[in-house]
Amino acid sequence: MRDRYHGELGAVHDQLVGLAALVTKAMVRATTAVVSGDLDAADEVISQDAVIDAARDALDARVMSVLACQQPVATDLRTLVAALRISADLERMGDLARHIAEIARMRYPGAPLPPVLRPDIEEMGRVAQRMATKMRQVLETKDPKAAAELHFDDDAMDDVHRSTFQHMTDEAWLHGMATAVDLTLLSRYYERFADHAVNVANRVIFLATGANARM
Amino acid sequence: MRDRYHGELGAVHDQLVGLAALVTKAMVRATTAVVSGDLDAADEVISQDAVIDAARDALDARVMSVLACQQPVATDLRTLVAALRISADLERMGDLARHIAEIARMRYPGAPLPPVLRPDIEEMGRVAQRMATKMRQVLETKDPKAAAELHFDDDAMDDVHRSTFQHMTDEAWLHGMATAVDLTLLSRYYERFADHAVNVANRVIFLATGANARM
């Protein structure tokens, strides 16, 4: 009975890491979709979001079943509740990748993003990928160093976010209002993705050390 | 022991309803802040967000304590886990009201929103208030009719959201890029607030009836 219980806890952990991998891949492909106007990449991210949602539902069902059948206390209870919160963050990160892909989809077959605007998006995409990769590493290893680095990456994301808005408001805007709306939303989606990656890492480190972050 | 247990479950319910009331008030004041350029309202919403966060933390702590001490199963377990999810939605709705107030704050003492743009924001504010009020009613009474109405309200919110973007892209834009960015984000914040209100109602109705919505 106890073996089966620890097997279930291990499976919850593995499912979280697997979900983090799906979300990382979705964000990488979403950035390709929007920067290169790659329609296949956009469609892939959009259809893959259902897979992410199903993986999250399976994970949550397993957690509920362990809570109901094993009545865990103390650390195990906190770990399982944290797993529910982390799965919510990860599912939302998948939604944000999908929103980015949907912007690429809607612009097609019209003009993709003007070349002058691509570097900011590429940079946000790079930072998002780095953060998602580190978040997954924190999930796997509970490495507080990787978690601490995520805060610096999040600052870097905020810097690009701010500089994007600065570009939009400082100079004469030659790209039309639809592009202004798209760029504002894209920038917001990357920023939110980064926030969720930080949340996930904070929850893991709080569980592991009891310190330094909200659960 | 059982009496104390049911008292705790009742307290969780009351705290959720109280949190919903705080969030509704925050959104009403945030709309006033941004439509009227009312700095006092903006500051009130921004400082009140810490109160909402603290109320959410208190609620979550109570849920964790009931989970640990009473080891509930079946309906009670599902209700408590749903309470954690609902508190996350409500806390996020408070954040969105704060983001709206922060836009009002940042524009001050410069120009408030141009008068021609106010009707869209006022309409989004009205729909948001109606939805938050119905969401609270669903929390209090589990009324499936109010929950169903929320879906229509959410469609209405999406319509205003779309028409706002249409205004921005159809006509010559005379209000500057900073206002375009603000209006895009404001519209997004109201739309997300509405989504969370629908989520909360769906969770309550799913718990009460086992049907018709994801938990």
Side-chain angles (χ1 to χ4, degrees), chain A:
Chain A
M1 189 71 178
R2 300 306 296 171
D3 272 0
R4 167 133 191 253
Y5 173 49
H6 285 111
E8 288 287 304
L9 289 181
V12 166
H13 177 260
D14 293 347
Q15 281 179 290
L16 282 175
V17 173
L19 198 47
L22 288 177
V23 160
T24 308
K25 193 180 160 209
M27 187 45 120
V28 171
R29 294 292 282 162
T31 301
T32 299
V34 81
V35 170
S36 314
D38 181 335
L39 198 63
D40 289 341
D43 287 340
E44 186 188 313
V45 174
I46 293 164
S47 66
Q48 193 67 10
D49 192 41
V51 176
I52 291 174
D53 290 351
R56 185 251 170 122
D57 288 346
L59 200 163
D60 285 3
R62 190 186 287 266
V63 171
M64 289 299 287
S65 146
V66 179
L67 284 173
C69 301
Q70 308 289 348
Q71 311 209 329
V73 293
T75 304
D76 288 347
L77 173 61
R78 284 194 298 276
T79 301
L80 288 162
V81 170
L84 290 175
R85 288 174 165 152
I86 290 170
S87 78
D89 278 307
L90 293 172
E91 192 258 340
R92 187 74 201 131
M93 291 169 85
D95 287 346
L96 292 162
R98 173 169 53 81
H99 291 334
I100 291 170
E102 282 166 347
I103 287 182
R105 190 85 187 73
M106 275 192 304
R107 293 188 72 88
Y108 192 88
L113 275 191
V116 67
L117 303 178
R118 288 180 206 166
D120 277 348
I121 301 292
E122 282 173 326
E123 178 61 13
M124 284 192 275
R126 268 192 299 271
V127 178
Q129 179 178 4
R130 193 163 72 221
M131 293 182 75
T133 305
K134 269 182 209 157
M135 171 193 76
R136 182 179 157 192
Q137 188 186 334
V138 172
L139 276 168
E140 278 186 303
T141 64
K142 304 187 176 60
D143 175 8
K145 195 167 141 280
E149 282 171 22
L150 271 171
H151 288 270
F152 292 107
D153 292 327
D154 193 37
D155 290 343
M157 183 68 93
D158 288 344
D159 287 345
V160 194
H161 183 63
R162 256 191 303 272
S163 102
T164 304
F165 285 2
Q166 208 72 41
H167 287 167
M168 292 175 72
T169 53
D170 273 359
E171 297 148 33
W173 183 256
L174 309 168
H175 311 291
M177 289 306 291
T179 299
V181 169
D182 285 352
L183 191 60
T184 303
L185 291 177
L186 284 170
S187 183
R188 172 83 187 152
Y189 296 148
Y190 282 103
E191 188 212 9
R192 288 297 299 152
F193 186 92
D195 289 343
H196 285 289
V198 170
N199 282 353
V200 169
N202 282 351
R203 291 187 209 282
V204 174
I205 297 305
F206 182 80
L207 264 182
T209 67
N212 209 13
R214 282 167 50 103
M215 193 176 81

Side-chain angles (χ1 to χ4, degrees), chain B residues 40-83:
Chain B
D40 289 342
D43 287 339
E44 185 187 314
V45 174
I46 292 165
S47 67
Q48 193 67 9
D49 193 41
V51 176
I52 291 174
D53 290 350
R56 185 251 168 124
D57 288 345
L59 200 163
D60 285 3
R62 190 185 287 266
V63 170
M64 290 298 288
S65 147
V66 178
L67 283 173
C69 301
Q70 308 289 347
Q71 310 208 330
V73 293
T75 304
D76 287 349
L77 173 61
R78 284 195 298 277
T79 301
L80 287 162
V81 169

Side-chain angles (χ1 to χ4, degrees), chain B residues 131-201:
Chain B
M131 293 182 75
T133 305
K134 270 182 209 158
M135 172 193 76
R136 182 177 157 193
Q137 188 185 333
V138 172
L139 276 169
E140 279 187 301
T141 65
K142 304 186 177 59
D143 175 8
K145 196 168 142 280
E149 283 171 20
L150 270 171
H151 288 270
F152 291 106
D153 292 327
D154 193 36
D155 290 342
M157 183 67 93
D158 288 344
D159 287 345
V160 195
H161 183 62
R162 255 192 303 274
S163 100
T164 304
F165 284 1
Q166 208 72 42
H167 288 168
M168 292 174 73
T169 53
D170 273 359
E171 297 148 33
W173 183 256
L174 308 168
H175 312 291
M177 289 306 292
T179 299
V181 169
D182 285 352
L183 192 59
T184 302
L185 291 176
L186 284 170
S187 184
R188 172 82 188 153
Y189 296 148
Y190 281 104
E191 189 212 9
R192 289 296 300 152
F193 186 92
D195 289 343
H196 285 288
V198 170
N199 283 354
V200 168

